[in-house]
Amino acid sequence: EVHLVESGGALVQPGGSLRISCVASGFTFTNNWLHWVRQAPGKGLEWISGIYTRDGDTMSADSVKGRFTLSRDNTKNVMYLQMNRLKSEDTARYYCAKKDGLGTFRYWGQGTQVTVSS
């Protein structure tokens, strides 16, 4: 059974940095794409970044490109999202997600809250 557990969310001041993590289990961590999806208050889900765990290849949405960096540790089955130069509009619940064989986001963690405010 796939399990995704996020952690590291916090209250951060604008311009600050934060790293959140996703621990994965129940599947072969390497050779998979893992993603971060966020949901701001009152808004829909927004895909922001994905990483191919075998070689570390990443993709990011324009809204976070240049500020957020995705990485992984294949020895620990952990994916990280380093967020720099945070803005108030980055306030959201951040979810770790994995697609199924049909390309649909099927597996989700419980999310971790990131709040950017002074």
Side-chain angles (χ1 to χ4, degrees):
E1 185 179 357
V2 174
H3 279 289
L4 302 169
V5 180
E6 305 91 335
S7 63
L11 171 63
V12 185
Q13 291 189 342
S17 297
L18 186 69
R19 189 179 79 165
I20 59 177
S21 304
C22 171
V23 178
S25 62
F27 63 97
T28 303
F29 186 78
T30 54
N31 204 34
N32 268 285
W33 278 94
L34 287 175
H35 303 267
W36 287 102
V37 179
R38 68 184 181 185
Q39 186 168 30
K43 295 189 177 181
L45 294 169
E46 177 192 12
W47 173 86
I48 58 171
S49 193
I51 186 167
Y52 186 46
T53 54
R54 185 173 70 180
D55 61 10
D57 188 24
T58 61
M59 303 182 298
S60 294
D62 288 343
S63 58
V64 304
K65 201 168 291 184
R67 299 188 299 122
F68 291 10
T69 302
L70 202 53
S71 63
R72 89 288 187 218
D73 184 338
N74 287 354
T75 66
K76 298 180 180 179
N77 288 8
V78 180
M79 174 177 66
Y80 303 101
L81 184 66
Q82 176 68 43
M83 302 181 288
N84 298 327
R85 292 184 281 135
L86 282 161
K87 307 175 183 179
S88 58
E89 50 262 46
D90 294 318
T91 294
R93 192 161 188 86
Y94 284 71
Y95 295 92
C96 176
K98 181 181 179 302
K99 293 183 177 181
D100 62 15
L102 299 178
T104 301
F105 281 117
R106 178 177 178 183
Y107 305 102
W108 299 81
Q110 82 288 350
T112 188
Q113 181 66 35
V114 174
T115 301
V116 184
S117 175
S118 56

